[in-house]
Amino acid sequence: MKQFFKDRYTIVGIALVLIFSVIVYQLANMQLVQGENYYTQSQSKIRRSTTILAERGNILDRYGVPIAINSTSYSIFLMDTGLGSKKLNEMMYKLLRVLEKNGDSHVNTFSKYMTYPIGFGSMLKNNENRRKTLKIMTGYEFKGFDQESTPEEIYEYFKDMVFKVDDKYSDKDAYDIMALRFQGISMDPVLADSISTKTIAELEERSDEFPGIIIESVPSRKYVDAHYAGQLIGHVGPIDAEELAKNSDAGYKMTDIIGKSGVELTTEGYLRGTNGYRRVEIDDNGKPRIVSEEAVKPGSDVVLTIDMGLQKVAMDSLAKNIKLIRESNNKKIIMMLLQEQRLL
């Protein structure tokens, strides 16, 4: 009997040693052999770098009166938290309802590629290589359709293969969900801009329902009475491919705003600031936490020699006199008005 128990203890002891050895081996494999790989994967999953846009410098007249200034708006960005398509689509549907309820709208870059009712957008309509265009825009490998595929076939491919949108959604809701999903995988994942305070408050209150949704302040350009000197001041706009190639060494990106004409263009080097960067960590619940930041450097102000007060008087007088000249048949009055305008 004693020998029997002794043998049992021996077997149990050997089994425990084997189990412990397997555990030690697995831990060693995970930490020593695969540790760096797992660490890299975890970091790429939960950490992201976002750009903090620098404010553009102001344009002022000779007395410091503002002509072009910055105002702050708020935009919704999407960070990847590893949600599957089903949950992500449900979240996009909820976001659409919040935006709709508060009178806001979402960004729809998708319409450049696919429209609703179903059709090709401007970027695909006469495009000779549609798959390549979509890959450049999103980085996603679009396999499953060819150049001869119809708009309906490509739309269904997007719906079933890329974004996996359930048939429970209406056609319009499915399209809008895909528009948001497309925006999320694009180079500029802004889902909505210039959103209202109501939307901001609701999304913050219901943050548990929107993992990966981040609200950021974004500087935007505002002109004050600039129509009095519109051609002089010029305007800004999204950088195009030609401008990007020309200014790539200066650190411009596809999502940047650049001076297009007038002072905005000629003094671009002074007005443009330096963007900062924010490293954000996403926890298991999809909530963002700031890990580190690199501060932005705002652009420099540009002071012009013009007097906007005098400019307004001159322009208003010109408009008034042109109207009087058109309405008058008296040559003496016309000459007097012209002389008055010259004095200004």
Side-chain angles (χ1 to χ4, degrees):
M1 181 64 70
K2 291 182 179 179
Q3 183 65 36
F4 173 75
F5 284 109
K6 185 177 180 181
D7 292 341
R8 287 183 63 184
Y9 290 144
T10 301
I11 293 171
V12 171
I14 293 173
L16 289 173
V17 169
L18 289 173
I19 293 172
F20 182 75
S21 298
V22 171
I23 293 173
V24 171
Y25 172 78
Q26 291 295 339
L27 288 173
N29 181 60
M30 291 175 65
Q31 295 184 29
L32 301 178
V33 180
Q34 300 293 334
E36 184 176 350
N37 182 44
Y38 288 142
Y39 175 78
T40 301
Q41 289 180 7
S42 67
Q43 293 303 300
S44 64
K45 177 181 178 182
I46 66 173
R47 289 193 175 187
R48 295 290 185 274
S49 291
T50 59
T51 301
I52 308 173
L53 299 178
E55 284 196 349
R56 196 170 176 84
N58 300 312
I59 299 177
L60 313 170
D61 82 345
R62 64 190 304 169
Y63 297 113
V65 175
I67 306 172
I69 58 176
N70 295 298
S71 61
T72 301
S73 61
Y74 291 88
S75 298
I76 299 174
F77 293 80
L78 176 65
M79 292 186 66
D80 181 15
T81 58
L83 287 178
S85 286
K86 183 177 180 179
K87 290 185 177 180
L88 195 53
N89 291 337
E90 289 173 353
M91 186 174 74
M92 293 298 102
Y93 179 77
K94 289 181 183 179
L95 179 59
L96 287 166
R97 300 289 74 81
V98 171
L99 293 172
E100 182 181 28
K101 181 176 67 175
N102 296 319
D104 294 321
S105 58
H106 64 88
V107 177
N108 189 5
T109 306
F110 191 51
S111 64
K112 295 181 180 180
Y113 302 88
M114 299 298 301
T115 61
Y116 187 87
I118 309 305
F120 285 138
S122 59
M123 295 293 290
L124 295 183
K125 196 168 188 179
N126 298 312
N127 195 311
E128 296 181 356
N129 196 333
R130 296 181 178 124
R131 277 178 51 188
K132 181 179 179 181
T133 298
L134 290 170
K135 181 181 178 182
I136 291 173
M137 178 61 192
T138 65
Y140 190 95
E141 287 283 356
F142 287 89
K143 297 179 180 179
F145 62 83
D146 56 37
Q147 194 64 24
E148 303 304 317
S149 297
T150 65
E152 290 75 16
E153 289 172 335
I154 296 181
Y155 177 84
E156 289 300 321
Y157 174 80
F158 269 109
K159 182 180 176 183
D160 297 335
M161 303 301 296
V162 180
F163 300 126
K164 299 179 174 64
V165 181
D166 199 290
D167 289 335
K168 69 180 181 180
Y169 299 106
S170 68
D171 290 341
K172 184 61 171 65
D173 286 338
Y175 175 84
D176 288 337
I177 288 170
M178 288 194 287
L180 287 179
R181 292 285 308 277
F182 186 87
Q183 200 67 31
I185 62 174
S186 70
M187 296 179 182
D188 187 20
V190 181
L191 304 187
D193 50 26
S194 300
I195 59 174
S196 65
T197 54
K198 290 182 179 180
T199 293
I200 295 173
E202 185 165 352
L203 291 179
E204 289 181 346
E205 184 180 342
R206 299 169 56 189
S207 60
D208 291 343
E209 300 178 47
F210 297 97
I213 292 293
I214 296 177
I215 299 173
E216 297 246 350
S217 60
V218 179
S220 56
R221 204 60 162 164
K222 182 179 179 181
Y223 295 98
V224 182
D225 293 331
H227 59 280
Y228 288 108
Q231 290 182 330
L232 173 65
I233 304 304
H235 70 287
V236 296
I239 193 168
D240 60 31
E242 184 178 345
E243 291 165 335
L244 182 62
K246 185 178 178 181
N247 296 280
S248 58
D249 293 339
Y252 283 87
K253 297 180 180 179
M254 286 184 66
T255 55
D256 283 341
I257 298 296
I258 193 171
K260 295 286 187 176
S261 63
V263 175
E264 292 279 23
L265 171 61
T266 56
T267 61
E268 170 69 19
Y270 297 100
L271 292 169
R272 180 183 183 239
T274 302
N275 292 337
Y277 295 92
R278 177 180 295 131
R279 195 158 180 78
V280 179
E281 184 179 82
I282 303 295
D283 64 19
D284 293 337
N285 297 318
K287 293 183 178 180
R289 180 179 71 85
I290 297 174
V291 177
S292 61
E293 279 189 353
E294 182 179 329
V296 301
K297 181 181 178 182
S300 301
D301 291 347
V302 171
V303 180
L304 306 179
T305 58
I306 67 170
D307 178 345
M308 281 302 289
L310 183 60
Q311 186 77 8
K312 290 178 186 179
V313 171
M315 293 296 289
D316 288 343
S317 175
L318 178 62
K320 181 186 72 175
N321 287 341
I322 289 176
K323 182 180 179 182
L324 290 173
I325 289 171
R326 286 174 175 172
E327 294 174 351
S328 176
N329 293 320
N330 191 313
K331 292 184 178 180
K332 288 184 178 180
I333 294 178
I334 293 175
M335 293 302 295
M336 181 182 68
L337 292 174
L338 291 173
Q339 181 65 24
E340 176 186 329
Q341 196 62 45
R342 279 198 295 269
L343 291 176
L344 289 175

